[in-house]
Amino acid sequence: RIQLSMQLQAVISQYLIPSPSLGRAAAFEIMLMNNAISNIIRDSKVYQLNSIIYSSESMGMKYMDTSILELYKNDTITKENALLYISDPAIIEKI
């Protein structure tokens, strides 16, 4: 964990979500290394990563649920598909 926390630069993941207009739409999560992320990895507190990513979007990070929500709001994906991929379905239900 110590070596990973010192060497990792970024992690990018994607879901390819079925889309009526595009066939598939890409939703991304981007985690860039900073001191908070490094400490979380080193201390084995990975359950805190999502909150750091979400609160660091102004620094270029992107939370997966935010990306999925944007695709849904832009009518790129359906509500049903958004609910299948999002980790917190309550976000979609509030809209």
Side-chain angles (χ1 to χ4, degrees):
R1 288 188 318 261
I2 293 170
Q3 189 173 15
L4 180 65
S5 72
M6 293 178 0
Q7 297 300 317
L8 190 66
Q9 296 297 311
V11 176
I12 300 172
S13 62
Q14 76 175 12
Y15 287 147
L16 294 176
I17 302 173
S19 167
S21 58
L22 301 174
R24 295 204 180 267
F28 294 96
E29 182 165 82
I30 302 170
M31 181 186 78
L32 303 173
M33 191 55 78
N34 64 20
N35 288 336
I37 298 287
S38 180
N39 291 337
I40 286 171
I41 292 170
R42 187 180 57 248
D43 297 339
S44 193
K45 296 181 179 179
V46 294
Y47 58 88
Q48 296 176 346
L49 283 175
N50 284 342
S51 63
I52 298 295
I53 294 168
Y54 181 75
S55 64
S56 300
E57 287 190 342
S58 64
M59 298 170 56
M61 294 195 206
K62 184 77 164 183
Y63 185 53
M64 182 64 77
D65 283 2
T66 304
S67 184
I68 293 169
L69 185 60
E70 288 172 1
L71 291 173
Y72 173 63
K73 283 182 175 179
N74 293 332
D75 292 325
T76 306
I77 61 173
T78 63
K79 182 177 183 177
E80 294 76 23
N81 284 331
L83 288 170
L84 286 174
Y85 288 88
I86 203 161
S87 64
D88 184 6
I91 296 170
I92 298 291
E93 297 300 336
K94 290 179 185 177
I95 299 175

